[in-house]
Amino acid sequence: MAKRHWTPIDRYLTDLLVAPDPALDEALAASAEAGLPPINVSPNQGKLLHLLAQAVNARRILEIGTLGGYSAIWLARALPPGGQLVTLEADPRHAEIARANLRRAGLTEFAEVRVGRALETLPELAAEGGDPFDFAFIDADKEHTTDYFDWAVRLSRPGGLIVVDNVVRGGAVVDAARDDADVRGVRRFLEGLAAEPRVTATAIQTVGSKGHDGFAIARVLGP
Ligand code: SAH
Ligand code: DHB
Ligand code: MG
């Protein structure tokens, strides 16, 4: 059982349950054309994010790690009229491609791509004092996941949902021989999550066209 087995199953489920969307296909094609790494969420994962955002009636969504805007399109499509996605991206080239992809998807007025390292743009966002976020998706460098999660909690409303990508990394998270900054970052995040009184949380392994990985999902509690 491995990726070669999981990928046709993802295709089967996606063909049945995820309606074709030319804007999403074009976003992936333009991202590949520009040489971006294919580390976007899969279509059925994108739709899961979309459904979760809708389930909490998200009007304001925060994303950390835009890449070419594939997950951003899924998230922005979950918003009601007047809703807003703020998505943070360190690499100006990625941000430019994401803006073009969001524009092609007709989502310019729903999505703002902010360029800069998230540890710099998150305090700026907080200082602006906008309305709290209803939903957050954390998917940037794994080293700083703990800090991104802390910001997401601070910027969320009670009842808000926070999803964190790549918390399993093919099992590296429990492999004692793996000790790189990414894996250490994920472990530190999960251990902190276990001790975090401001949320209730779980984590789930996933398999599919993106291999073996996982999501952590946290609900922000009241004050
Ligand atoms: N969410 C995207 C994939 C994101 S890939 C999708 O599913 O479609 C991770 C992205 O995080 C990359 O584009 C990378 O440039 C960005 N990133 C890495 N370090 C960052 C940082 N410190 N601040 C903001 N973004 C960062
Ligand atoms: C990587 C990053 C991701 O966000 C992801 O979903 C898969 C892989 C990576 O950095 O390799
Ligand atoms: Mg990811």
Side-chain angles (χ1 to χ4, degrees), residues 87-107:
T87 181
L88 311 180
E89 174 53 55
D91 187 324
R93 226 170 46 86
H94 295 185
E96 230 12 83
I97 288 153
R99 286 190 185 113
N101 285 333
L102 285 157
R103 191 182 325 118
R104 263 194 300 273
L107 293 166

Side-chain angles (χ1 to χ4, degrees), residues 77-165:
R77 287 227 193 285
L79 290 165
Q84 191 72 20
L85 166 73
V86 179
T87 181
L88 311 180
E89 174 53 55
D91 187 324
R93 226 170 46 86
H94 295 185
E96 230 12 83
I97 288 153
R99 286 190 185 113
N101 285 333
L102 285 157
R103 191 182 325 118
R104 263 194 300 273
L107 293 166
T108 298
E109 65 179 302
F110 289 90
E112 182 195 350
V113 183
R114 291 202 182 193
V115 181
R117 288 164 39 91
L119 286 181
E120 285 158 30
T121 51
L122 283 161
E124 290 167 15
L125 196 56
E128 288 166 23
D131 288 341
F133 291 98
D134 309 291
F135 187 89
F137 179 49
I138 298 176
D139 191 23
D141 61 301
K142 311 310 164 189
E143 195 179 345
H144 296 115
T145 302
T146 299
D147 307 276
Y148 301 152
F149 186 78
D150 182 61
W151 279 109
V153 174
R154 288 157 66 171
L155 293 169
S156 291
R157 69 158 160 89
L161 215 56
I162 304 172
V163 176
V164 182
D165 196 21

